Amino acid sequence: MGEFIQTTIGGLTLGAQYALMALGFSLAFGILRVINFAHGAFYVVGGYLAYWITNEVGLPYVLGVIVAVLGTAAIGYVFELFVIERRIDDHLATIVMTLGASLIGGAAMLSLFGAQAAQFEGGLTGTFRFGGVFVPHARVMIIAVAGLAIAAVYLLLYKTQVGNALRALTDDREMAVAMGMRPKVLFPMAFAIATGLAGLTGALVTPQFSLAPFVGEHVLMISFLAVILGGLGSLPGAVIASVLVGLVEAFVGTYVGGSWAPLILFTGILVLLVARPSGLLGHRTIIDA
Amino acid sequence: MPKNLAPSTTSTTSSAVRRRSRHVLLLPGITLLLVALGFFVPKLTADPFLISFVPTVLITMLASMHVWLLLRVNLLSFASPPFMAVGGYVLALVATNVTSNAIVLIVACVVVPAMLAIPLGLVLLRLRGTYFALVTFVLAQVVVLIVVIAEGPLGGSSGLSGIPPATLGATQFAAGGDLVRFSVIVALVGMALAATVSIVWRRHFAAIEENEPLAASLGLQPWRYKTYAFVSAAGVAGLAGLILINQLGNAHPDSFGPLSAVNHVAASVIGGPSFLGPAVGALILAWLVHVFASQAQYSQLLLGAALILVTLFAKRGLTGLVVDAAKFLARAVSRPGPPDTGARAEPRSAEGDTTTQVPNTLTRRESVTTGEVVLSVDALAKRFGGVAAVDGVSLELRKGDILGVIGPNGAGKTTLINMISGAMVPSGGRVTLSGKALTGSSPQTMSRHGIARSYQQTSVFSGATVRENLRRAEAFSKRWVSDEELDELLRETGLDARLDDIAGDLPYGLQKLLGLLLPLATRPAVLLLDEPAAGLEVSERGRIDQLVEWAAERGSAVLLVEHDMDLVRRICPRLLVMDTGKELAHGTPEVVLTNPDVITAYLGVADDEELADIADLVEPSVLAEPEAGTHREEEIHRG
C-alpha cells in the first residue's frame, strides 16, 4: 500500500513536471500553429541560465529563475519576429527552422558549458514526509508553479483581450488583421511566452533531473507525447495527458520494469492516432492541418 | 525535381503539349556517371580517408533520399532512422542466420522495410502536414524501444555483433576498396529506385506538392501516390541501414537514434528539391562533421544556421541556387541587352483586348426538360456545429442542361458545390450521378465518375507551365478531350499564346480561365463552376459564355454559381436562388428575379410598399450590387 501511494505521488509529481514542460510547446502550437522543435533547447538554455546566475555568478536561485524566464522569452521573441514570422504560413518551413534553432541552442550550450552534466542543486533541498511517503520540497514547488502557470496561461488566453486577439489570429489571420489586430506584435509575444515557459521549466526542473546540453531531447519527446495524446493545440488536453504520462511511467516503472514504460506509451499513442487522430480532447480535425 | 528546367520552345499545338521532355533523365544520368567514375578509378578506392568517408556520405545520402522522396509529396518524415534500423537488423539477421550473399541482402533490405511501410502508410498517410511529421518522430522512438526490449532476437541494448560481411562469390565486402565498391553499388540501387519512382510519377508528385485539392478534383488519388513515395522511401532508407551495419559489423540501437533524422532532414533541405539535392546535402553534412570532428558543436552550429538561412532565403536549396545562377549566366551570355523584354509574342489575351465585346451572338439555351437525368441532388444538407450552411437543397440536372445558382454571400452556394464535388462530406441528403449513389465520396472518386469543378479563387499548378498544367490534368483524369477540341479551348481562352509561360505568372484573368479550362478538358458529365466570372474584366467575361456553351453543347450538365447577373441571365435558362442554406426560388430568370422574396433576400427590404416600388424599378444588374464587395476584395488579392 505504501508503495502504491508513493508510486501515485511520484507519478503525479512527474506528471506536473511534464505538464509544465508541455505547456509552452502546446501554447506555441495552439496559437502560432508552429511545432517548436527548439522547445527542448529553450528548456536547456533556461536551465543553464539559472545555473550560471546561481552557481557561477553567485546570486540567489530565485534571481536565476527570473533571468532564465526573461532570457529565453527574449530569445523566443526575436526568433519569432525575425525568422518564424517570415514563413509563418508554411508548416514544414517552421518545423525546419525550429530544428535549426534547436541545433544552434544545443551547440551553443555545449561550447559554453562543455559536454559534462552541470552540478546544479537548485534552491530547495528539503523533503516532506507523510508517514512512509517522501516528497522533496522542490517537487511540491514545481507542482505549485505548474498549477499557477497553467492557470495563468488559461486566463491569458480565455479571459483577456490579448487572449481573444491571439485566438482570433489563430482562427483567421487575414480577417483578424483586417480587424486591426497586429500579428507582428502579438505572435512574437505569444512565442516569447511559450519559450519563457520552457525556460522557466528548465530553471525549475533541471535540478531535479539533470542539466547537460542535450537533455532537451527528452523534454521535446515528452511534449510530443503530451500534445499528441491530448490533442494538438488543446491546453487542457496537454495537461491531462502529461499527468497521465507521468502516472503510466511511474506505475509501469515500479511494477513492470524500465524500458517497457516508454514503449507502452509510444505504442499506445500510435494506436490512439489510428483510432482517434484528434487526440483525447482534441475536437478539431487535424487531418487537414 | 528536374521539371521545368528546359521548357520546349514550340507552341500552340496539342501534339506539342504531349511531347515528352528528355531532360528529366539528365540529372540522374550525370549522377550515375559521376558515381561510376569514382567506382572505377582505383586511386579513389584505395585512399584510407575515402574508404571511411564514402560509405558515410552514401549512408547520409540514402537516408536523406528517404526524406527527399516524401518531401516531394509534401510530407516531412523523420522516419529515416526506423526504416534504416529495419534494414540494418534485416541484414544482421539474414547474414548471421541465412546467407551473406550480397544480392539476397540488398533485396531483403529493400523489400522488408518497404513491406512494413505498406500497413504503416495506410495509417500514417491519413495524417498531413505537421501531424505526419510528429508521428514519424514517435515512430522512430518506438522502433528503438522495440529493439531495446527484444533482447532475444535483436540483442536488446547491447546490440548484435559479429555480423558477417556481405559476400559475392569469393569477394568479401568487409574492408578497403571492396567495402567502398559494395557501398557504391548499394547506393546506386537506392538512387535508381528513388529516380524511377520520382520520374515515373513526377507529375503526380509535383501536383500533390503544389496543389493537392486541384489534383484530386482532376481525378488524382493522393493517398495512392503518397503510398508509393512512402514505400519506396522506406526501401531506400533500408539500404542506408544495410551500408551502415555492413560497415560497422555490428548492429546497435544507438546507431538509429530518432534525432539522427534531423541530419537527414537537414541534408535534404539544404541540398534542395533537385534529384542531386540529397547527394549535395549529404556531402556538405559529412564534410562539416569531418572538418569539425573534434568540436562537434561548431558543425552543429553551422548546420543549424544553414537550415534557417536556406529556409528563409533559398527555398530550393543549394542545387536550386546553382540552377538559378546557371540560368542567369546563360541568359546574360545569350542576350547581352536588357533581358527578357519583348521576347514573348504579346498574347492575344483579354488584358489589352478591349475590343472584345460581350457576345450577343449566343442565344440562351432552352431549358432541358427531357432526356437522361445526369446529376440528382436530394435534400442535401451541411451543418457546421449549429449552423446549417446548406439545408435540404434538391436539384436535378440533365445532359446539356445549365442551371444557375445565385444567392447572397453566405447562402451556401460554394458549400453546395463542395459537397457535390466531394470536397466536403454532407451531413444529410443524397448525391446521385446517372443512378449511382456517390454521396460523400472523395473528390477523386467524384472526378473519376465525371464530376468536375472549378474554384472561386484561381486554382492552377502555379509553378508549372500552362502546357505542363494540361499534361498533368490529362495524366490524372480518366477522360480527356481530343486534340482538336483542346486547341479550340486554348484559342477561345487566349491561352494558346501562353503555353510555355509559368501559370503563376499569368495575369489573374488568364489564371482563372486556365482553372476553368482544366476541368472542362476532362469532358465532365457534370461541370460545377464556382463564380467563374468573379474578378474577371468585363471583356474577359464573354469567354465564360463561350466555354459554358461549349461544354453544354458536348453534353455536360453545368451547374453555375455566379454573382454576375448579366452573365447568369445570358446563359442560364433556369435559376435556383439560395438564401441561408435553403432554396428560395427555382425557375426561369424572368420569374425568379422578380420574385419579391428574392429581392428581399438581396436588398434586405421587408416593407411591402417599398417592395412594390422596387419590383418595378429593379434591374437584374442591381441585384449584383451587394456582391460588389466580393469583387473588390478579389481585386485586392490580385495585387
Side-chain angles (χ1 to χ4, degrees):
Chain A
M1 192 60 198
E3 190 182 47
F4 181 82
I5 294 172
Q6 179 74 55
T7 308
T8 309
I9 291 180
L12 286 176
T13 53
L14 201 59
Q17 294 171 11
Y18 288 171
L20 202 51
M21 289 175 185
L23 189 62
F25 185 81
S26 179
L27 183 71
F29 184 80
I31 298 299
L32 286 86
R33 296 274 174 256
V34 168
I35 301 276
N36 182 14
F37 272 78
H39 186 69
F42 279 105
Y43 166 91
V44 172
V45 170
Y48 272 110
L49 274 174
Y51 165 76
W52 180 64
I53 293 288
T54 313
N55 285 29
E56 297 193 2
V57 181
L59 295 170
Y61 177 57
V62 180
L63 270 182
V65 175
I66 291 172
V67 169
V69 174
L70 294 181
T72 47
I75 299 170
Y77 189 92
V78 171
F79 183 63
E80 208 291 335
L81 186 61
F82 292 109
V83 179
I84 294 190
E85 193 60 31
R86 306 173 62 145
R87 300 293 301 280
I88 189 80
D89 291 325
D90 185 343
H91 297 299
L92 298 190
T94 55
I95 290 181
V96 171
M97 292 190 300
T98 55
L99 269 180
S102 136
L103 290 177
I104 294 175
M109 292 306 110
L110 186 60
S111 44
L112 289 175
F113 296 97
Q116 290 290 321
Q119 294 298 312
F120 188 26
E121 299 288 319
L124 295 169
T125 42
T127 302
F128 287 116
R129 200 179 149 179
F130 314 97
V133 179
F134 298 89
V135 186
H137 288 163
R139 299 224 164 163
V140 177
M141 188 258 307
I142 288 169
I143 294 177
V145 173
L148 282 177
I150 292 162
V153 169
Y154 180 83
L155 289 176
L156 171 80
L157 280 187
Y158 293 95
K159 302 289 173 199
T160 65
Q161 193 115 44
V162 172
N164 282 336
L166 282 172
R167 286 184 296 127
L169 278 168
T170 309
D171 277 347
D172 189 338
R173 185 172 167 122
E174 223 168 293
M175 183 58 76
V177 170
M179 306 287 276
M181 277 151 226
R182 297 193 292 171
K184 297 249 175 208
V185 175
L186 290 169
F187 271 20
M189 193 199 75
F191 198 73
I193 294 174
T195 55
L197 280 169
L200 173 72
T201 314
L204 294 180
V205 177
T206 47
Q208 297 299 304
F209 291 110
S210 64
L211 180 58
F214 297 106
V215 293
E217 293 164 10
H218 177 67
V219 176
L220 190 63
M221 213 35 114
I222 292 294
S223 304
F224 281 174
L225 281 182
V227 297
I228 294 177
L229 204 59
L232 270 182
S234 159
L235 275 184
V239 171
I240 294 171
S242 302
V243 176
L244 213 62
V245 170
L247 283 172
V248 170
E249 209 176 304
F251 274 94
V252 178
T254 307
Y255 293 101
V256 186
S259 40
W260 280 99
L263 182 65
I264 288 171
L265 277 172
F266 282 106
T267 317
I269 276 175
L270 282 183
V271 172
L272 178 82
L273 277 168
V274 181
R276 197 178 149 75
S278 51
L280 290 178
L281 291 190
H283 38 80
R284 268 181 210 163
T285 64
I286 33 71
I287 301 229
D288 58 4
Chain B
M1 229 191 285
K3 59 175 188 202
N4 300 337
L5 291 188
S8 82
T9 44
T10 29
S11 61
T12 55
T13 62
S14 330
S15 51
V17 169
R18 269 168 219 287
R19 225 176 49 177
R20 293 203 149 225
S21 38
R22 258 172 255 124
H23 67 265
V24 196
L25 292 168
L26 202 65
L27 283 178
I30 293 174
T31 320
L32 291 183
L33 192 74
L34 284 175
V35 177
L37 257 180
F39 185 61
F40 286 113
V41 179
K43 187 179 181 311
L44 297 178
T45 57
D47 187 295
F49 164 67
L50 286 178
I51 284 172
S52 71
F53 190 68
V54 170
T56 308
V57 173
L58 294 177
I59 292 161
T60 313
M61 186 195 74
L62 286 179
S64 310
M65 205 70 126
H66 168 93
V67 180
W68 180 88
L69 263 172
L70 283 162
L71 275 176
R72 301 285 70 75
V73 290
N74 232 0
L75 292 169
L76 181 59
S77 167
F78 290 97
S80 41
F83 287 116
M84 281 171 71
V86 174
Y89 277 93
V90 164
L91 167 82
L93 294 179
V94 173
T96 313
N97 301 321
V98 188
T99 169
S100 60
N101 181 296
I103 296 168
V104 174
L105 289 176
I106 291 176
V107 171
C109 288
V110 173
V111 170
V112 175
M115 294 301 270
L116 273 175
I118 294 174
L120 274 173
L122 280 179
V123 174
L124 301 188
L125 292 171
R126 301 192 319 176
L127 311 161
R128 252 191 254 166
T130 45
Y131 233 70
F132 179 84
L134 271 185
V135 173
T136 52
F137 215 89
V138 175
L139 180 73
Q141 189 81 39
V142 170
V143 168
V144 169
L145 291 169
I146 289 177
V147 171
V148 170
I149 293 229
E151 280 172 10
L154 301 180
S157 50
S158 47
L160 294 173
S161 50
I163 301 164
T167 55
L168 198 60
T171 320
Q172 278 211 340
F173 303 116
D178 287 333
L179 178 69
V180 174
R181 274 182 213 110
F182 177 67
S183 306
V184 170
I185 290 174
V186 175
L188 282 177
V189 172
M191 284 182 83
L193 178 61
T196 310
V197 170
S198 59
I199 289 172
V200 168
W201 291 304
R202 65 188 180 284
R203 297 219 154 95
H204 305 78
F205 287 2
I208 291 173
E209 195 181 353
E210 265 181 48
N211 193 340
E212 187 177 329
L214 174 64
S217 83
L218 290 168
L220 174 129
Q221 295 156 304
W223 58 268
R224 167 183 291 205
Y225 298 96
K226 287 179 182 177
T227 306
Y228 292 159
F230 190 60
V231 169
S232 48
V236 172
L239 288 177
L242 186 158
I243 301 182
L244 178 66
I245 299 308
N246 184 63
Q247 186 192 17
L248 295 177
N250 57 67
H252 194 272
D254 284 353
S255 307
F256 309 105
L259 281 157
S260 57
V262 173
N263 287 341
H264 310 146
V265 169
S268 185
V269 167
I270 291 172
S274 149
F275 188 78
L276 286 177
V280 173
L283 255 177
I284 292 175
L285 189 76
W287 176 78
L288 269 179
V289 170
H290 172 73
V291 169
F292 296 105
S294 53
Q295 297 139 310
Q297 63 267 40
Y298 295 118
S299 64
Q300 213 181 344
L301 213 60
L302 284 173
L303 196 63
L307 269 184
I308 294 176
L309 291 176
V310 164
T311 314
L312 280 183
F313 302 113
K315 217 180 162 189
R316 305 196 321 111
L318 292 182
T319 52
L321 281 184
V322 171
V323 169
D324 288 346
K327 272 187 187 165
F328 179 78
L329 281 179
R331 212 179 295 146
V333 169
S334 69
R335 200 177 296 140
D340 214 19
T341 41
R344 288 179 176 129
E346 200 44 49
R348 306 185 269 130
S349 88
E351 356 161 43
D353 193 359
T354 47
T355 54
T356 313
Q357 293 296 314
V358 172
N360 299 318
T361 48
L362 290 170
T363 45
R364 198 167 82 198
R365 296 176 77 85
E366 289 296 307
S367 181
V368 183
T369 51
T370 56
E372 182 200 350
V373 172
V374 186
L375 176 74
S376 160
V377 171
D378 185 28
L380 209 55
K382 179 74 189 177
R383 278 176 294 277
F384 297 105
V387 184
V390 173
D391 193 2
V393 170
S394 302
L395 57 91
E396 276 189 350
L397 271 175
R398 294 170 200 275
K399 239 181 138 176
D401 204 357
I402 303 174
L403 173 68
V405 176
I406 62 169
N409 285 333
K413 306 181 296 293
T414 299
T415 308
L416 181 69
I417 283 196
N418 280 341
M419 284 190 287
I420 302 175
S421 66
M424 282 180 185
V425 178
S427 325
R430 276 193 301 280
V431 176
T432 318
L433 185 78
S434 304
K436 196 168 286 165
L438 287 178
T439 320
S441 300
S442 62
Q444 57 268 30
T445 309
M446 293 295 193
S447 168
R448 287 180 171 236
H449 282 92
I451 298 181
R453 73 167 296 179
S454 77
Y455 290 86
Q456 197 172 340
Q457 312 294 334
T458 58
S459 190
V460 294
F461 300 114
S462 50
T465 60
V466 172
R467 190 190 303 280
E468 175 66 15
N469 268 270
L470 292 167
R471 281 176 180 159
R472 286 187 193 167
E474 185 181 358
F476 307 156
S477 180
K478 284 215 173 267
R479 359 154 123 240
W480 194 247
V481 288
S482 68
D483 287 357
E484 295 72 40
E485 287 173 319
L486 184 58
D487 284 342
E488 199 182 325
L489 282 173
L490 286 169
R491 270 198 309 278
E492 247 165 58
T493 47
L495 285 164
D496 52 350
R498 293 288 192 114
L499 280 176
D500 290 311
D501 288 10
I502 300 293
D505 296 344
L506 294 175
Y508 185 89
L510 280 178
Q511 284 192 43
K512 191 103 200 227
L513 287 171
L514 178 58
L516 206 59
L517 192 150
L518 294 179
L520 222 128
T522 65
R523 276 195 165 286
V526 174
L527 180 61
L528 310 167
L529 301 177
D530 195 356
E531 296 195 31
L536 292 191
E537 314 270 339
V538 176
S539 56
E540 288 169 323
R541 294 187 181 193
R543 300 183 192 271
I544 307 282
D545 299 53
Q546 315 265 13
L547 291 175
V548 172
E549 182 64 27
W550 190 91
E553 248 170 39
R554 281 160 182 76
S556 294
V558 183
L559 188 149
L560 172 74
V561 166
E562 188 47 74
H563 282 308
D564 180 339
M565 288 303 152
D566 290 325
L567 177 71
V568 166
R569 286 207 314 158
R570 281 202 304 276
I571 54 180
C572 299
R574 201 155 56 94
L575 285 184
L576 171 74
V577 187
M578 285 178 70
D579 187 29
T580 60
K582 292 195 184 68
E583 174 184 318
L584 195 62
H586 191 169
T588 64
E590 288 71 22
V591 173
V592 163
L593 293 176
T594 50
N595 182 326
D597 291 340
V598 174
I599 296 167
T600 312
Y602 266 97
L603 299 177
V605 185
D607 193 296
D608 278 345
E609 282 175 38
E610 276 180 294
L611 254 186
D613 293 342
I614 285 166
D616 297 333
L617 291 172
V618 77
E619 274 292 305
S621 55
V622 176
L623 289 179
E625 200 58 28
E627 269 60 53
T630 324
H631 296 159
R632 224 176 291 132
E633 197 181 305
E634 267 153 8
E635 251 141 343
I636 293 167
H637 286 309
R638 265 198 270 175

